[in-house]
Amino acid sequence: MGHSISEQDSATPHTSSVATKWLQEHSSDFRHFHCPPKSPDMNIIEPIGVALQYSVQKTSPTPGNPMDLRTALQDSLCEKPPGYLQTLVDTMPRRVGPRRY
């Protein structure tokens, strides 16, 4: 069994015919870890994205162009309490739990 780990969900890049064929050809080089698609438990980006989206939706007036949206997103992120991102990182072991490869 190989030393590398391949994490698989149903994301398009993971299920494309090219990726599937390559993984089949190299399956002995990897241990495979299957996870549910779009699992917020596996990705700290999900809760950050939801929080930013909620904050921007409350913005008045609604951002009307890409630069206004960027500013609103930056402002929203700056309003998060100190340690917000680190808290998400620190909770990963508890949320993910033991992995079975």
Side-chain angles (χ1 to χ4, degrees):
M1 194 179 283
H3 297 288
S4 298
I5 298 171
S6 169
E7 182 178 333
Q8 295 293 308
D9 58 18
S10 63
T12 302
H14 299 171
T15 59
S16 71
S17 59
V18 172
T20 301
K21 182 180 177 186
W22 188 91
L23 284 170
Q24 287 172 345
E25 291 171 357
H26 296 87
S27 64
S28 63
D29 299 334
F30 294 94
R31 291 185 290 171
H32 297 277
F33 173 60
H34 296 277
C35 63
K38 299 181 181 178
S39 173
D41 290 342
M42 301 296 291
N43 187 349
I44 66 169
I45 299 299
E46 296 292 329
I48 295 167
V50 169
L52 293 177
Q53 180 180 11
Y54 179 75
S55 292
V56 170
Q57 287 174 341
K58 294 189 320 182
T59 303
S60 181
T62 303
N65 61 56
M67 282 306 280
D68 290 346
L69 177 58
R70 180 181 179 157
T71 300
L73 289 168
Q74 287 174 334
D75 291 348
S76 175
L77 192 55
C78 288
E79 291 170 1
K80 297 294 176 217
Y84 171 71
L85 299 177
Q86 188 60 49
T87 299
L88 292 173
V89 171
D90 292 344
T91 62
M92 283 300 293
R94 178 182 52 79
R95 291 186 291 134
V96 174
R99 291 184 173 186
R100 294 181 179 90
Y101 300 105

